[in-house]
Amino acid sequence: MTLDTLDLNLALLNLCVSIDVTVIHESSDCQKELKVPMTNIIPASVYQRRDGLTAEQFYVQYQHSIDNPDVFWGKQANLLDFSQSWQQVYTGDFSLGSSQWFVGGTLNTCYNCIDRHLPKHGNALALIWQGEQESLVKRYTYRQLHEQICRLANVLTTYGICAGDRVGIYLPMIPEAVIAMLACARLGAVHCVVFAGFSAESLANRFNDISCRLVITAEQSIRAGKTLLLKQQVDIALTQCALVKTVLVVSAGQNSDWVDGRDIDYQQAVDQASTDYPCVMMSAEAPLFILHTSGSTGIPKGVVHRTAGYLLYSALTFKVLFDYQPGDVFWSTADIGWITGHSYSIYGPLANGATVLLFEGLPTYPDASRCWQIIDQHHVAIFYTAPTLLRSLMREGDGYLVNSSRASLRVLGTVGEPINPSVWQWYFEKIGQSRCPIVDTWWQTETGGVLIAPIVGITPLQPGAASQPFWGIAPALMDDQLQVLTGVASGNLVIQQPWPGLMQSIYGDHQRFLTQYMARFPGNYLTGDGAKRDEIGTYWLMGRLDDVVNCSGHRIGTAEVESALIAQGDIAEAAVVGFPHAIKGEGIYAFVTPKSGVLPSMALKQALIRQVASIIGPIAKPDVIQFTENLPKTRSGKIMRRLLKQIAAGSDDFGDTSTLTDPAVLTQLLRQREIED
Ligand code: WT7
């Protein structure tokens, strides 16, 4: 941010104005004219910060963090306890993807999240677990969590897990998930959580990618009254994972299909284990965890996060962005299988000694009042969720708000996709009763923590805008010709300087990390998102510019869905794109060409959908399948997805189609389009 923007932001404090900004995209990827929505700006003064941070302090500190990052991050590192202090804040070459943070330092993540709080804070609540049934509640103080983590760390050691080993975790939203991640961190093992909605096939690919020998899972999970058999998926996956020798199973008492010598009852094992386990001090740069995310190829990337940098960044952003104060109960609805669950249900809050709420059920079950009931019941002060959930709750009507007061709420947050201004207004006025600011947090699995978000009590709130960079974050907009765009502009969002939360690498493939993120705009981290900046310097996120669909806040690679469709056997070709979807944000639209001799049919559609669910998981099921004889291709045979996206969205404004072999395909596809507007 320039000083001009800073002045503007300061000038905007306490103002309440309307804006209507039209911005012309300058990059060739985004030729369309885009309108920033007409929205009211809510003055920053709607909220008084409790940590006393003023706007002047924030912006002066911001400038300092950009001009003198080493001094800034060196000072912030006091948030963590190192067992051996670091000698250098940062070394490396950002453009070569070789950054190292807090060089020479050693520390343990579990020590920072749990042990150091014990002397003064041991009896404070660390975790409140709410099961799907209202009566199912478990509470853990920091001391109780410590005991459980030590027990599990001992069990892991018994089964041969040492520092540096990878451990696969496939668990629902239960306390054991938190315990498992922190037990790995305690002994220096690298956890790799796979979202419990992924299928056996995805699970096997991820476990094989990290070559793990031990897996922690649960027999089942209950969602919306239905039992999901998780261990059954693990059993199928492990037929393809020869390296896995031990499976710790959180049992539901069924113990069906138990594999002797491999499957171990989690509870029995931890009950017999000692409650002492010294933290293994790790290098600041040691990997803390791996989390897979989709990209533009068919193979998910194992994003590696490092120990000190990641922990510091998630802890600092948690504290400042949510204006966290001791005693606050923090609830993020994101599953622990996603980065939000890692950074803001576990590492960020626990490093700050906060109380985290974990909810196993479905937020819309038994009805749309469930979240608000839980907020009242557990006195949640900070609530963090995704626009897709808000849209589905808003659709149910305000009748579901009358039996809760939500009086404990102070700050609201959103993450995962742009929030529609109308949904933002509903969230602000109805849920937060016009007194709770909304932190629209933009970030990615790769970035470790939030990079762009309004600073509550400091930034005027523009509904639908993630707004402004956090300390240490230098965003820029660039066109496809590598020119930095200034002032009001839109283009590729890049980050120009390193920050400690940035991923270290892609597991086993550092070259892919360099190619995907660091090569296209040399010296900059490429986010893959398009964004625009309005005349007061506010950033508006516009969605992915690569072949990734953001479906209900989940990132799904179109190439992965295409491979799954082809694998069904009846399809010669498939092209998958996103399209606007009222609840999911983006839905999945598949254009498929059957093999010759195969007739398009409803049964084939269903078989294709089943195939995607079984290869990737139910979250990747196409919403629409359109059969077609032809796809729009260039003379060199490349499918023009830009045009398919337009067809899926119902637009006939195709622009230049001269590179197509047969432009008539477009009108034909549009005529046979499968969605009613
Ligand atoms: C992609 C990252 C970060 C945790 C959740 C998703 C989109 C994320 C916002 C936001 C607009 C957003 C971007 C980004 N995104 N937050 N506040 N406004 N878009 O993590 O699966 O790594 O996906 O989600 O497109 O690149 P992820």
Side-chain angles (χ1 to χ4, degrees), residues 340 416-418 440-445 529 541 544 550 555:
T340 311
E417 50 175 318
D440 178 347
T441 63
W442 175 85
W443 59 299
Q444 308 178 299
T445 304
D529 275 6
L541 275 301
R544 305 285 311 185
N550 189 335
R555 203 200 290 194

Side-chain angles (χ1 to χ4, degrees), residues 399-529:
Y400 288 103
L401 307 183
V402 294
N403 56 2
S404 58
S405 80
R406 303 173 307 286
S408 56
L409 286 176
R410 218 160 31 76
V411 175
L412 299 171
T414 70
V415 60
E417 50 175 318
I419 179 165
N420 330 54
S422 58
V423 178
W424 194 104
Q425 289 292 351
W426 179 81
Y427 195 27
F428 179 71
E429 286 165 20
K430 297 287 167 54
I431 304 307
Q433 289 140 344
S434 302
R435 60 185 166 75
C436 306
I438 297 176
V439 204
D440 178 347
T441 63
W442 175 85
W443 59 299
Q444 308 178 299
T445 304
E446 295 89 336
T447 68
V450 176
L451 301 196
I452 300 184
I455 308 301
V456 296
I458 290 177
T459 316
L461 303 170
Q462 288 170 266
S467 294
Q468 67 175 63
F470 187 67
W471 288 328
I473 304 305
L477 300 177
M478 292 178 87
D479 67 16
D480 289 348
Q481 288 70 46
L482 313 190
Q483 295 304 310
V484 174
L485 307 169
T486 53
V488 174
S490 65
N492 296 285
L493 177 66
V494 300
I495 312 293
Q496 297 177 302
Q497 290 186 10
W499 71 99
L502 178 63
M503 67 191 284
Q504 187 181 52
S505 190
I506 291 179
Y507 189 72
D509 198 350
H510 193 65
Q511 188 52 45
R512 191 172 173 201
F513 167 65
L514 298 178
T515 324
Q516 294 258 304
Y517 303 102
M518 306 307 301
R520 191 161 151 218
F521 296 92
N524 297 277
Y525 165 79
L526 173 66
T527 67
D529 275 6

